[in-house]
Amino acid sequence: MKPLGNDAASAYRRVELDARIEAAAGEDLTRICLEEAIASLGVAVKTIEARPGEVPRGAVSRAHSIVLWLARGVSEDNPLRGALTQFYGGIAATLSRNLVRASVLDLVRARNDLNDVLKAARVDA
């Protein structure tokens, strides 16, 4: 059984995220998704560091789902559509492999790559 405090904190995070998503427009939604994927990969890395050999499926799966959504959601009129779709697809493939056998190096690289895109998206805002 999980302690009540963890469930309450998780519920508050979900409500906060839902509120941010509800209020977001196109580019803001992309930034929120990137932030969430990066955070999930951070959790995955910390989990592996704390418990080597354990595959943090929940965190990696969450990041994988977000990246797939990003790949499918690139606007057709975006001049970088092809490059972004390929980039997100590559990250998704890496995360998919890490659902079976997790590699800290792979997850850190994916997190850093997504963070680079997030930084670029913030500059454009």
Side-chain angles (χ1 to χ4, degrees), residues 101-119:
R101 183 179 172 108
S103 161
V104 170
L105 184 59
D106 281 352
L107 297 176
V108 168
R109 283 181 181 161
R111 182 182 63 190
N112 290 344
D113 289 346
L114 292 172
N115 200 38
D116 288 344
V117 173
L118 177 60
K119 286 177 187 174

PDB file of all heavy atoms in Angstrom, residues 101-119:
ATOM      1  N   ARG A 101      15.570  -3.018 -21.709  1.00  0.00           N
ATOM      2  CA  ARG A 101      16.861  -2.986 -21.021  1.00  0.00           C
ATOM      3  C   ARG A 101      17.292  -1.529 -20.940  1.00  0.00           C
ATOM      4  O   ARG A 101      17.708  -0.946 -21.942  1.00  0.00           O
ATOM      5  CB  ARG A 101      17.885  -3.820 -21.767  1.00  0.00           C
ATOM      6  CG  ARG A 101      19.219  -3.887 -21.089  1.00  0.00           C
ATOM      7  CD  ARG A 101      20.178  -4.760 -21.885  1.00  0.00           C
ATOM      8  NE  ARG A 101      21.501  -4.677 -21.336  1.00  0.00           N
ATOM      9  CZ  ARG A 101      22.072  -5.658 -20.658  1.00  0.00           C
ATOM     10  NH1 ARG A 101      21.427  -6.790 -20.473  1.00  0.00           N
ATOM     11  NH2 ARG A 101      23.288  -5.514 -20.179  1.00  0.00           N
ATOM     12  N   ALA A 102      17.210  -0.961 -19.762  1.00  0.00           N
ATOM     13  CA  ALA A 102      17.467   0.466 -19.595  1.00  0.00           C
ATOM     14  C   ALA A 102      18.959   0.767 -19.536  1.00  0.00           C
ATOM     15  O   ALA A 102      19.728   0.056 -18.917  1.00  0.00           O
ATOM     16  CB  ALA A 102      16.787   0.971 -18.327  1.00  0.00           C
ATOM     17  N   SER A 103      19.329   1.848 -20.210  1.00  0.00           N
ATOM     18  CA  SER A 103      20.702   2.341 -20.238  1.00  0.00           C
ATOM     19  C   SER A 103      20.700   3.788 -19.766  1.00  0.00           C
ATOM     20  O   SER A 103      20.049   4.633 -20.393  1.00  0.00           O
ATOM     21  CB  SER A 103      21.268   2.252 -21.652  1.00  0.00           C
ATOM     22  OG  SER A 103      22.390   3.093 -21.801  1.00  0.00           O
ATOM     23  N   VAL A 104      21.413   4.064 -18.701  1.00  0.00           N
ATOM     24  CA  VAL A 104      21.496   5.439 -18.206  1.00  0.00           C
ATOM     25  C   VAL A 104      22.023   6.352 -19.302  1.00  0.00           C
ATOM     26  O   VAL A 104      21.507   7.458 -19.503  1.00  0.00           O
ATOM     27  CB  VAL A 104      22.375   5.529 -16.933  1.00  0.00           C
ATOM     28  CG1 VAL A 104      22.651   6.971 -16.560  1.00  0.00           C
ATOM     29  CG2 VAL A 104      21.721   4.809 -15.774  1.00  0.00           C
ATOM     30  N   LEU A 105      23.022   5.895 -20.027  1.00  0.00           N
ATOM     31  CA  LEU A 105      23.612   6.706 -21.095  1.00  0.00           C
ATOM     32  C   LEU A 105      22.565   7.073 -22.150  1.00  0.00           C
ATOM     33  O   LEU A 105      22.460   8.239 -22.548  1.00  0.00           O
ATOM     34  CB  LEU A 105      24.790   5.969 -21.738  1.00  0.00           C
ATOM     35  CG  LEU A 105      25.551   6.731 -22.809  1.00  0.00           C
ATOM     36  CD1 LEU A 105      26.134   8.028 -22.267  1.00  0.00           C
ATOM     37  CD2 LEU A 105      26.664   5.857 -23.380  1.00  0.00           C
ATOM     38  N   ASP A 106      21.783   6.097 -22.605  1.00  0.00           N
ATOM     39  CA  ASP A 106      20.722   6.366 -23.589  1.00  0.00           C
ATOM     40  C   ASP A 106      19.712   7.374 -23.047  1.00  0.00           C
ATOM     41  O   ASP A 106      19.305   8.305 -23.751  1.00  0.00           O
ATOM     42  CB  ASP A 106      19.953   5.088 -23.933  1.00  0.00           C
ATOM     43  CG  ASP A 106      20.663   4.188 -24.911  1.00  0.00           C
ATOM     44  OD1 ASP A 106      21.709   4.591 -25.467  1.00  0.00           O
ATOM     45  OD2 ASP A 106      20.164   3.063 -25.119  1.00  0.00           O
ATOM     46  N   LEU A 107      19.298   7.172 -21.802  1.00  0.00           N
ATOM     47  CA  LEU A 107      18.267   8.036 -21.227  1.00  0.00           C
ATOM     48  C   LEU A 107      18.780   9.448 -21.000  1.00  0.00           C
ATOM     49  O   LEU A 107      18.054  10.424 -21.232  1.00  0.00           O
ATOM     50  CB  LEU A 107      17.735   7.426 -19.930  1.00  0.00           C
ATOM     51  CG  LEU A 107      17.043   6.068 -20.101  1.00  0.00           C
ATOM     52  CD1 LEU A 107      16.643   5.498 -18.743  1.00  0.00           C
ATOM     53  CD2 LEU A 107      15.845   6.164 -21.020  1.00  0.00           C
ATOM     54  N   VAL A 108      20.026   9.578 -20.572  1.00  0.00           N
ATOM     55  CA  VAL A 108      20.610  10.904 -20.380  1.00  0.00           C
ATOM     56  C   VAL A 108      20.755  11.621 -21.724  1.00  0.00           C
ATOM     57  O   VAL A 108      20.449  12.812 -21.844  1.00  0.00           O
ATOM     58  CB  VAL A 108      21.963  10.817 -19.639  1.00  0.00           C
ATOM     59  CG1 VAL A 108      22.726  12.134 -19.694  1.00  0.00           C
ATOM     60  CG2 VAL A 108      21.748  10.399 -18.189  1.00  0.00           C
ATOM     61  N   ARG A 109      21.198  10.906 -22.740  1.00  0.00           N
ATOM     62  CA  ARG A 109      21.311  11.510 -24.080  1.00  0.00           C
ATOM     63  C   ARG A 109      19.949  11.971 -24.593  1.00  0.00           C
ATOM     64  O   ARG A 109      19.823  13.065 -25.143  1.00  0.00           O
ATOM     65  CB  ARG A 109      21.924  10.523 -25.061  1.00  0.00           C
ATOM     66  CG  ARG A 109      23.406  10.376 -24.914  1.00  0.00           C
ATOM     67  CD  ARG A 109      23.951   9.410 -25.938  1.00  0.00           C
ATOM     68  NE  ARG A 109      25.383   9.252 -25.778  1.00  0.00           N
ATOM     69  CZ  ARG A 109      26.074   8.239 -26.252  1.00  0.00           C
ATOM     70  NH1 ARG A 109      25.479   7.275 -26.938  1.00  0.00           N
ATOM     71  NH2 ARG A 109      27.370   8.164 -26.061  1.00  0.00           N
ATOM     72  N   ALA A 110      18.943  11.130 -24.440  1.00  0.00           N
ATOM     73  CA  ALA A 110      17.594  11.496 -24.889  1.00  0.00           C
ATOM     74  C   ALA A 110      17.096  12.721 -24.127  1.00  0.00           C
ATOM     75  O   ALA A 110      16.542  13.652 -24.730  1.00  0.00           O
ATOM     76  CB  ALA A 110      16.633  10.321 -24.706  1.00  0.00           C
ATOM     77  N   ARG A 111      17.312  12.725 -22.820  1.00  0.00           N
ATOM     78  CA  ARG A 111      16.889  13.869 -22.007  1.00  0.00           C
ATOM     79  C   ARG A 111      17.615  15.138 -22.448  1.00  0.00           C
ATOM     80  O   ARG A 111      16.993  16.190 -22.608  1.00  0.00           O
ATOM     81  CB  ARG A 111      17.154  13.580 -20.529  1.00  0.00           C
ATOM     82  CG  ARG A 111      16.687  14.704 -19.600  1.00  0.00           C
ATOM     83  CD  ARG A 111      17.000  14.420 -18.165  1.00  0.00           C
ATOM     84  NE  ARG A 111      18.446  14.349 -17.999  1.00  0.00           N
ATOM     85  CZ  ARG A 111      19.058  13.939 -16.914  1.00  0.00           C
ATOM     86  NH1 ARG A 111      18.365  13.526 -15.870  1.00  0.00           N
ATOM     87  NH2 ARG A 111      20.364  13.919 -16.832  1.00  0.00           N
ATOM     88  N   ASN A 112      18.924  15.047 -22.680  1.00  0.00           N
ATOM     89  CA  ASN A 112      19.690  16.215 -23.120  1.00  0.00           C
ATOM     90  C   ASN A 112      19.236  16.714 -24.488  1.00  0.00           C
ATOM     91  O   ASN A 112      19.132  17.918 -24.723  1.00  0.00           O
ATOM     92  CB  ASN A 112      21.184  15.904 -23.139  1.00  0.00           C
ATOM     93  CG  ASN A 112      21.758  15.738 -21.748  1.00  0.00           C
ATOM     94  OD1 ASN A 112      21.160  16.129 -20.750  1.00  0.00           O
ATOM     95  ND2 ASN A 112      22.940  15.138 -21.668  1.00  0.00           N
ATOM     96  N   ASP A 113      18.951  15.781 -25.403  1.00  0.00           N
ATOM     97  CA  ASP A 113      18.476  16.169 -26.736  1.00  0.00           C
ATOM     98  C   ASP A 113      17.131  16.891 -26.646  1.00  0.00           C
ATOM     99  O   ASP A 113      16.918  17.916 -27.302  1.00  0.00           O
ATOM    100  CB  ASP A 113      18.365  14.950 -27.648  1.00  0.00           C
ATOM    101  CG  ASP A 113      19.725  14.397 -28.065  1.00  0.00           C
ATOM    102  OD1 ASP A 113      20.754  15.092 -27.886  1.00  0.00           O
ATOM    103  OD2 ASP A 113      19.745  13.254 -28.575  1.00  0.00           O
ATOM    104  N   LEU A 114      16.226  16.353 -25.843  1.00  0.00           N
ATOM    105  CA  LEU A 114      14.926  17.002 -25.662  1.00  0.00           C
ATOM    106  C   LEU A 114      15.088  18.360 -24.989  1.00  0.00           C
ATOM    107  O   LEU A 114      14.384  19.320 -25.323  1.00  0.00           O
ATOM    108  CB  LEU A 114      13.981  16.108 -24.859  1.00  0.00           C
ATOM    109  CG  LEU A 114      13.519  14.839 -25.571  1.00  0.00           C
ATOM    110  CD1 LEU A 114      12.751  13.946 -24.600  1.00  0.00           C
ATOM    111  CD2 LEU A 114      12.673  15.166 -26.787  1.00  0.00           C
ATOM    112  N   ASN A 115      16.023  18.449 -24.060  1.00  0.00           N
ATOM    113  CA  ASN A 115      16.278  19.716 -23.378  1.00  0.00           C
ATOM    114  C   ASN A 115      16.803  20.768 -24.361  1.00  0.00           C
ATOM    115  O   ASN A 115      16.442  21.942 -24.269  1.00  0.00           O
ATOM    116  CB  ASN A 115      17.249  19.516 -22.217  1.00  0.00           C
ATOM    117  CG  ASN A 115      17.170  20.646 -21.221  1.00  0.00           C
ATOM    118  OD1 ASN A 115      16.097  21.161 -20.938  1.00  0.00           O
ATOM    119  ND2 ASN A 115      18.311  21.040 -20.702  1.00  0.00           N
ATOM    120  N   ASP A 116      17.633  20.350 -25.309  1.00  0.00           N
ATOM    121  CA  ASP A 116      18.116  21.280 -26.346  1.00  0.00           C
ATOM    122  C   ASP A 116      16.951  21.834 -27.172  1.00  0.00           C
ATOM    123  O   ASP A 116      16.910  23.030 -27.480  1.00  0.00           O
ATOM    124  CB  ASP A 116      19.119  20.591 -27.263  1.00  0.00           C
ATOM    125  CG  ASP A 116      20.464  20.326 -26.596  1.00  0.00           C
ATOM    126  OD1 ASP A 116      20.752  20.918 -25.528  1.00  0.00           O
ATOM    127  OD2 ASP A 116      21.231  19.509 -27.141  1.00  0.00           O
ATOM    128  N   VAL A 117      16.010  20.963 -27.522  1.00  0.00           N
ATOM    129  CA  VAL A 117      14.834  21.405 -28.284  1.00  0.00           C
ATOM    130  C   VAL A 117      13.984  22.352 -27.443  1.00  0.00           C
ATOM    131  O   VAL A 117      13.496  23.367 -27.934  1.00  0.00           O
ATOM    132  CB  VAL A 117      14.002  20.187 -28.787  1.00  0.00           C
ATOM    133  CG1 VAL A 117      12.698  20.648 -29.414  1.00  0.00           C
ATOM    134  CG2 VAL A 117      14.816  19.364 -29.763  1.00  0.00           C
ATOM    135  N   LEU A 118      13.831  22.025 -26.158  1.00  0.00           N
ATOM    136  CA  LEU A 118      13.059  22.892 -25.267  1.00  0.00           C
ATOM    137  C   LEU A 118      13.696  24.276 -25.165  1.00  0.00           C
ATOM    138  O   LEU A 118      13.002  25.290 -25.239  1.00  0.00           O
ATOM    139  CB  LEU A 118      12.935  22.257 -23.878  1.00  0.00           C
ATOM    140  CG  LEU A 118      12.211  23.091 -22.821  1.00  0.00           C
ATOM    141  CD1 LEU A 118      10.772  23.404 -23.255  1.00  0.00           C
ATOM    142  CD2 LEU A 118      12.230  22.359 -21.486  1.00  0.00           C
ATOM    143  N   LYS A 119      15.011  24.329 -25.025  1.00  0.00           N
ATOM    144  CA  LYS A 119      15.701  25.614 -24.957  1.00  0.00           C
ATOM    145  C   LYS A 119      15.469  26.421 -26.233  1.00  0.00           C
ATOM    146  O   LYS A 119      15.213  27.629 -26.177  1.00  0.00           O
ATOM    147  CB  LYS A 119      17.198  25.414 -24.731  1.00  0.00           C
ATOM    148  CG  LYS A 119      17.554  24.989 -23.333  1.00  0.00           C
ATOM    149  CD  LYS A 119      19.050  24.750 -23.204  1.00  0.00           C
ATOM    150  CE  LYS A 119      19.392  24.165 -21.850  1.00  0.00           C
ATOM    151  NZ  LYS A 119      20.834  23.806 -21.773  1.00  0.00           N
TER     152      LYS A 119
END
